[in-house]
Amino acid sequence: MIYLTRRERFNAAHRMYREEWSDEKNFEVFGKCSNPNWHGHNYELFVTVCGEPDPQTGLLINLKELSRIVRERVIDRLDHKNINLEVPFMQGKIASTENLVITIWEELEAPLQERGIRLYSLKIAESENNIIEYKKE
Amino acid sequence: MIYLTRRERFNAAHRMYREEWSDEKNFEVFGKCSNPNWHGHNYELFVTVCGEPDPQTGLLINLKELSRIVRERVIDRLDHKNINLEVPFMQGKIASTENLVITIWEELEAPLQERGIRLYSLKIAESENNIIEYKKE
Amino acid sequence: MIYLTRRERFNAAHRMYREEWSDEKNFEVFGKCSNPNWHGHNYELFVTVCGEPDPQTGLLINLKELSRIVRERVIDRLDHKNINLEVPFMQGKIASTENLVITIWEELEAPLQERGIRLYSLKIAESENNIIEYKKE
Amino acid sequence: MIYLTRRERFNAAHRMYREEWSDEKNFEVFGKCSNPNWHGHNYELFVTVCGEPDPQTGLLINLKELSRIVRERVIDRLDHKNINLEVPFMQGKIASTENLVITIWEELEAPLQERGIRLYSLKIAESENNIIEYKKE
Amino acid sequence: MIYLTRRERFNAAHRMYREEWSDEKNFEVFGKCSNPNWHGHNYELFVTVCGEPDPQTGLLINLKELSRIVRERVIDRLDHKNINLEVPFMQGKIASTENLVITIWEELEAPLQERGIRLYSLKIAESENNIIEYKKE
Amino acid sequence: MIYLTRRERFNAAHRMYREEWSDEKNFEVFGKCSNPNWHGHNYELFVTVCGEPDPQTGLLINLKELSRIVRERVIDRLDHKNINLEVPFMQGKIASTENLVITIWEELEAPLQERGIRLYSLKIAESENNIIEYKKE
């Protein structure tokens, strides 16, 4: 089995909070990440797909097409945006990297499947110290 | 001459815009960086000081003290903050990395000088592709 | 399933040797890593935990708490220490990164479990070229 | 189970193309990677082996021996070479990283097994954005 | 004085050799880098410009314009190319990184100057261990 | 002017202390870096030389020769060693990175000069956060 990982990047603002909680309660749970004036990150997204290489081309997939799908579905809607306010697929969700990675999976799985590409894992590094990965098992 | 560089990091939200300009004009000049809903970065700050090592200790400076000053004066006031709205030393300034690095110099120069430490350069990497450095000459 | 990885760092000295062997035999087996005068590394520790995010917070775990446990149980006892001489949980063991990663697992598993956190893997990079990972299966 | 990863590097030229196709067809499928005048990469190879540490040494394997095998079998035959023209184990194959990683597996599996070392995965980073991994399952 | 550095990347094949020398003589001087079948690299180019920020925008330059000029003049003519055979500004020159960085300076200086941008230094990392920088003084 | 930087690496143990001071005084000044049982680092050494490329070869220097000199004079005497106890050129000196970089300069300057190579700067990264550079001016 071959696993191909493509890295894409986006910069975004967000705030960790639960609407029905007070600012105090939010601060208690989320600390400085709940700052009502937002903060932000350089996010790195690692999309891993898997399968067997095409014997005609020696390639698992067309990398340009993978990159195009990831950009159209995910990066263009997140880059230089406010994750809480502006990202359609994050509406009504807490803007945690955990929720982000699960939601990006939902955005990518179907369009990749249509092209015969099997999504294996999604990883987001929100800093050099904190990395979240999602695999559907 | 010995140059010592200490790296510190902060995450923040910002928006590039000039208050007296319309959103259209701001977008024309600053592109997606002028998004009114903010975006953000993981910033890396490299503080370089210079001088001769102390013959008693073999050290240029007390690294812990340098780190403490940089954290108190700069990092604690920027980390998980909105640069436009919340950072006292950036009030009334366009939140560019160029202005940020010049302003951080003004914050750090005097307290370092009081302890006999000479600031040589400040560098901010706002992404792996964009780096701004400032030297007062 | 969500996997969260936290990176922590420590610097330490060590020596690869087996007490009942002569220095010659140790050198034969371990090479320059058996230098009786020690050598050292900047170690990077990657702690990966897994589970489902809490629907209330969108978070897998409280990252601060994870970091605190890892620091108290592991980093504070290894950082700027001699692994052979000073680290209680490495006494009587050969100071290999393999043994280190297994022993750190034993230190972390119970306190994480008490807080409902499931340890998934531990990885130590002892240099940019050599990385050891441990999973209990 | 312990997993040990060793990184080795090589620089090489290659061209993506299928001999029975015209240059136009090759360009259509492979884009600029099919340039008849070649292009090249700094490749990073990550060799992961697995098993239980030897209780006598605390080591999974002799790292020097692993590195020697990887260099003799793989790196010395790829480094500063043209993958299409000069690498014996890539003859008759499309010079994709997918095919490269599968072929390197075939080169390494037997000599490692002879020394009781079990190959777990091979990963090649051909750039900071594109990574291919192979596991035989 | 503010220094802004923009990183751009390209992959290319090359060969170190002097046409009037035999392959033996070339191999003697350049080692495996003179392989007649080429080899290649992932090159990182760091373009540093300097000046005072515009008080209207807080920016030293329009980063998009800098990136566009570097791509048009340099990256698009080097990426996925053979430096010896296909790069117009390297014709008749030995394909060393030293010559490459000097030649790129000549390509960039005038178009940047036309837009009031002062080139300060060019740096090319041809691997993680070898970096060449050029400043015109 | 062309600047060429070569990176070499070494792992070593050291202790920050001044012999005529008590352990208490040493701890007061150097903190945990004065641990009598040693600690260690992965050090990265960046050697920068400068000059004009040779018109015959397009090269500033023979990189292999530079690497050989740096390894013979510096790396082989530091790698997997105790800087305080075993490194001849550090005897009688406090094992700070500041003193290390100055002493390495003295080791390298003459043998490089003999071959017509001009040393421009030496930089040691003792961790990702702390970097010391030396230029003789």
Side-chain angles (χ1 to χ4, degrees):
Chain A
M1 183 78 96
I2 288 282
Y3 302 82
L4 181 150
T5 299
R6 174 71 187 174
R7 186 183 73 125
E8 302 280 350
R9 300 177 301 120
F10 60 94
N11 307 319
H14 80 138
R15 178 196 175 189
M16 290 296 301
Y17 77 113
R18 204 173 162 76
E19 236 172 303
E20 59 264 45
W21 289 348
S22 65
D23 276 9
E24 289 69 32
K25 170 80 175 171
N26 273 303
F27 185 80
E28 201 190 300
V29 174
F30 298 117
K32 59 187 176 179
C33 296
S34 74
N35 178 4
N37 288 315
W38 322 99
H39 68 285
H41 294 290
N42 302 338
Y43 293 89
E44 289 182 284
L45 173 66
F46 299 85
V47 179
T48 302
V49 301
C50 66
E52 303 291 337
D54 178 335
Q56 287 278 335
T57 61
L59 300 175
L60 181 58
I61 52 152
N62 184 322
L63 194 54
K64 266 209 175 136
E65 201 180 333
L66 173 64
S67 181
R68 188 183 52 74
I69 295 170
V70 176
R71 284 168 179 271
E72 275 178 28
R73 296 282 174 147
V74 179
I75 303 300
D76 292 351
R77 294 151 93 189
L78 278 164
D79 190 35
H80 284 75
K81 292 285 193 296
N82 184 308
I83 297 176
N84 300 71
L85 302 181
E86 295 178 300
V87 178
F89 51 79
M90 286 298 287
Q91 293 317 297
K93 294 175 184 161
I94 291 173
S96 68
T97 307
E98 286 88 335
N99 282 345
L100 192 56
V101 81
I102 293 171
T103 310
I104 291 174
W105 184 285
E106 287 157 13
E107 286 301 306
L108 285 177
E109 195 178 29
L112 290 176
Q113 217 157 21
E114 275 172 40
R115 278 154 196 87
I117 303 172
R118 184 170 146 214
L119 192 52
Y120 174 73
S121 96
L122 286 180
K123 201 161 69 174
I124 296 180
E126 73 180 28
S127 78
E128 64 191 37
N129 294 328
N130 300 333
I131 300 157
I132 304 277
E133 189 174 11
Y134 180 59
K135 290 182 201 171
K136 214 175 177 175
E137 280 159 317
Chain B
M1 183 77 96
I2 288 281
Y3 303 81
L4 180 150
T5 299
R6 174 73 187 172
R7 185 183 75 125
E8 302 280 351
R9 301 177 301 122
F10 60 94
N11 307 319
H14 80 139
R15 178 196 175 188
M16 290 295 302
Y17 77 114
R18 203 174 162 76
E19 235 171 305
E20 59 264 44
W21 289 349
S22 65
D23 275 9
E24 289 69 33
K25 170 78 175 172
N26 273 304
F27 185 79
E28 201 191 301
V29 174
F30 297 117
K32 59 187 175 180
C33 296
S34 76
N35 178 3
N37 287 315
W38 322 98
H39 68 285
H41 294 291
N42 302 339
Y43 293 89
E44 288 182 285
L45 172 66
F46 299 85
V47 179
T48 302
V49 301
C50 66
E52 303 291 338
D54 178 335
Q56 288 277 337
T57 61
L59 300 175
L60 181 58
I61 52 153
N62 184 323
L63 194 54
K64 266 209 176 139
E65 201 181 335
L66 174 64
S67 181
R68 188 183 52 74
I69 295 170
V70 176
R71 284 167 180 271
E72 275 178 27
R73 295 281 174 148
V74 180
I75 303 301
D76 292 351
R77 293 151 92 188
L78 277 163
D79 190 35
H80 284 75
K81 293 285 193 296
N82 184 308
I83 297 176
N84 300 70
L85 302 181
E86 296 178 300
V87 178
F89 51 79
M90 287 298 288
Q91 293 316 298
K93 294 175 184 161
I94 291 173
S96 68
T97 307
E98 285 89 335
N99 282 345
L100 191 57
V101 81
I102 293 171
T103 310
I104 292 174
W105 184 285
E106 287 157 12
E107 287 300 307
L108 285 177
E109 195 179 30
L112 290 176
Q113 218 157 20
E114 275 171 39
R115 278 153 196 88
I117 303 172
R118 184 171 146 213
L119 192 53
Y120 174 74
S121 97
L122 286 180
K123 202 161 67 174
I124 296 180
E126 72 180 28
S127 78
E128 65 192 36
N129 294 328
N130 300 333
I131 300 157
I132 304 278
E133 188 174 12
Y134 179 60
K135 290 182 202 172
K136 214 174 176 176
E137 280 159 320
Chain C
M1 183 77 96
I2 288 281
Y3 302 82
L4 180 150
T5 299
R6 174 72 186 173
R7 185 183 74 126
E8 302 280 351
R9 300 177 302 120
F10 59 95
N11 307 319
H14 80 138
R15 178 196 174 188
M16 289 295 301
Y17 77 114
R18 203 173 163 76
E19 237 172 302
E20 58 264 45
W21 289 349
S22 66
D23 276 10
E24 289 69 33
K25 170 78 175 172
N26 272 304
F27 185 79
E28 202 191 300
V29 174
F30 298 116
K32 58 187 177 181
C33 296
S34 75
N35 179 3
N37 288 314
W38 322 98
H39 69 285
H41 294 291
N42 302 338
Y43 293 90
E44 289 181 284
L45 172 66
F46 299 84
V47 179
T48 301
V49 301
C50 65
E52 303 291 337
D54 178 335
Q56 289 277 336
T57 61
L59 299 175
L60 180 59
I61 52 153
N62 184 322
L63 194 54
K64 266 210 175 137
E65 200 180 335
L66 173 65
S67 180
R68 188 184 52 75
I69 295 170
V70 176
R71 283 166 179 272
E72 275 178 27
R73 295 280 174 149
V74 179
I75 303 299
D76 291 351
R77 294 152 92 188
L78 279 163
D79 191 34
H80 284 75
K81 292 287 193 293
N82 184 308
I83 296 176
N84 299 72
L85 302 182
E86 295 178 300
V87 178
F89 51 79
M90 287 298 286
Q91 293 316 297
K93 294 175 184 162
I94 291 173
S96 68
T97 307
E98 285 89 335
N99 282 344
L100 192 56
V101 80
I102 293 171
T103 309
I104 292 174
W105 183 286
E106 287 157 14
E107 286 300 307
L108 285 177
E109 196 179 27
L112 290 176
Q113 217 156 19
E114 275 171 39
R115 279 153 194 87
I117 303 172
R118 183 170 146 215
L119 193 52
Y120 175 74
S121 96
L122 287 180
K123 202 161 68 175
I124 296 180
E126 73 180 28
S127 78
E128 64 191 37
N129 294 329
N130 300 333
I131 300 157
I132 304 278
E133 189 174 13
Y134 180 58
K135 291 182 201 171
K136 213 174 178 176
E137 280 158 319
Chain D
M1 184 78 95
I2 287 282
Y3 302 82
L4 180 149
T5 299
R6 174 71 187 173
R7 185 183 74 125
E8 302 281 351
R9 300 177 301 121
F10 60 94
N11 307 319
H14 81 138
R15 178 196 174 188
M16 289 296 300
Y17 77 114
R18 201 171 164 79
E19 236 171 304
E20 59 264 45
W21 289 349
S22 66
D23 276 9
E24 289 69 34
K25 170 79 175 172
N26 273 304
F27 185 80
E28 201 190 301
V29 174
F30 298 117
K32 58 187 176 181
C33 296
S34 75
N35 178 4
N37 288 315
W38 323 99
H39 68 285
H41 294 291
N42 302 339
Y43 293 88
E44 289 182 284
L45 173 65
F46 299 84
V47 179
T48 302
V49 301
C50 66
E52 303 290 336
D54 178 335
Q56 287 278 337
T57 62
L59 299 175
L60 180 59
I61 53 154
N62 185 322
L63 194 53
K64 265 210 174 137
E65 202 182 334
L66 173 64
S67 180
R68 189 184 51 75
I69 295 169
V70 175
R71 283 167 179 272
E72 275 178 28
R73 297 281 174 148
V74 178
I75 302 300
D76 291 350
R77 294 151 93 189
L78 278 164
D79 190 35
H80 284 77
K81 293 286 194 294
N82 184 307
I83 297 176
N84 300 70
L85 301 181
E86 295 179 299
V87 178
F89 50 80
M90 286 298 287
Q91 292 317 296
K93 293 176 185 161
I94 291 173
S96 68
T97 306
E98 285 89 335
N99 282 344
L100 191 56
V101 81
I102 293 172
T103 309
I104 292 174
W105 183 286
E106 286 157 13
E107 286 301 306
L108 285 177
E109 195 179 29
L112 290 176
Q113 217 156 21
E114 275 172 38
R115 278 153 195 88
I117 303 172
R118 185 171 146 213
L119 193 52
Y120 175 74
S121 96
L122 287 180
K123 201 160 71 174
I124 296 180
E126 74 180 28
S127 79
E128 63 191 39
N129 294 328
N130 300 333
I131 301 157
I132 304 278
E133 189 173 12
Y134 180 60
K135 291 182 200 171
K136 213 175 177 176
E137 280 159 318
Chain E
M1 183 77 97
I2 287 282
Y3 302 82
L4 180 149
T5 299
R6 174 73 186 173
R7 185 182 74 126
E8 301 280 352
R9 299 178 301 121
F10 59 95
N11 307 319
H14 80 138
R15 178 197 173 188
M16 289 295 301
Y17 76 114
R18 201 171 166 78
E19 236 171 304
E20 59 265 44
W21 289 348
S22 65
D23 276 10
E24 288 69 32
K25 170 80 174 171
N26 273 304
F27 184 79
E28 201 190 302
V29 174
F30 298 117
K32 59 187 175 179
C33 296
S34 75
N35 179 4
N37 288 315
W38 321 99
H39 68 285
H41 293 291
N42 302 338
Y43 293 89
E44 289 181 284
L45 172 66
F46 299 85
V47 178
T48 302
V49 301
C50 65
E52 304 290 337
D54 178 336
Q56 287 278 335
T57 62
L59 299 174
L60 181 58
I61 52 154
N62 184 322
L63 194 53
K64 266 209 174 138
E65 201 180 334
L66 173 64
S67 180
R68 188 184 52 75
I69 295 170
V70 176
R71 284 166 179 271
E72 275 177 27
R73 296 281 174 147
V74 179
I75 302 300
D76 292 350
R77 293 152 92 190
L78 278 163
D79 191 35
H80 284 76
K81 293 285 194 295
N82 184 307
I83 297 176
N84 300 71
L85 302 181
E86 296 178 299
V87 178
F89 52 79
M90 286 298 287
Q91 292 317 296
K93 294 175 185 162
I94 291 173
S96 67
T97 306
E98 285 89 335
N99 282 345
L100 192 56
V101 80
I102 293 171
T103 310
I104 292 174
W105 184 286
E106 286 158 14
E107 286 300 308
L108 285 177
E109 195 179 28
L112 290 175
Q113 218 157 19
E114 275 171 39
R115 280 153 194 87
I117 303 172
R118 184 171 147 213
L119 193 53
Y120 175 74
S121 97
L122 286 180
K123 202 161 68 175
I124 296 180
E126 74 180 27
S127 78
E128 64 191 36
N129 294 328
N130 301 332
I131 300 157
I132 304 278
E133 188 173 13
Y134 180 59
K135 291 181 201 172
K136 214 174 178 175
E137 279 159 319
Chain F
M1 183 78 95
I2 288 282
Y3 302 82
L4 180 149
T5 299
R6 173 72 187 173
R7 185 182 74 126
E8 302 280 353
R9 300 176 301 121
F10 59 95
N11 307 319
H14 81 138
R15 178 197 173 187
M16 290 295 301
Y17 78 114
R18 201 173 165 77
E19 236 172 304
E20 58 264 44
W21 289 348
S22 65
D23 276 10
E24 288 69 35
K25 170 78 176 174
N26 273 304
F27 185 79
E28 201 190 301
V29 174
F30 298 117
K32 58 186 177 182
C33 297
S34 75
N35 177 4
N37 288 315
W38 322 99
H39 68 285
H41 294 291
N42 302 337
Y43 293 89
E44 289 181 284
L45 172 66
F46 298 85
V47 178
T48 301
V49 301
C50 65
E52 304 289 337
D54 178 335
Q56 288 277 337
T57 62
L59 299 175
L60 181 58
I61 53 153
N62 185 323
L63 194 54
K64 266 210 174 136
E65 202 181 334
L66 173 64
S67 181
R68 188 183 52 73
I69 295 169
V70 175
R71 284 168 179 271
E72 275 177 28
R73 296 282 174 146
V74 179
I75 303 300
D76 292 349
R77 293 151 93 188
L78 278 164
D79 191 34
H80 284 76
K81 292 286 192 297
N82 184 308
I83 297 176
N84 300 70
L85 301 181
E86 296 178 299
V87 178
F89 50 80
M90 287 298 288
Q91 293 316 297
K93 293 175 184 162
I94 290 173
S96 68
T97 306
E98 284 89 334
N99 282 345
L100 192 56
V101 81
I102 293 171
T103 309
I104 292 174
W105 184 285
E106 287 157 12
E107 287 300 307
L108 286 177
E109 195 179 29
L112 290 176
Q113 217 157 20
E114 275 171 39
R115 279 152 195 88
I117 302 172
R118 185 172 145 212
L119 193 52
Y120 175 73
S121 96
L122 287 180
K123 201 161 70 174
I124 296 180
E126 72 179 29
S127 78
E128 63 191 38
N129 294 329
N130 300 333
I131 300 157
I132 304 279
E133 189 174 13
Y134 180 60
K135 290 181 199 171
K136 213 175 177 176
E137 281 160 317

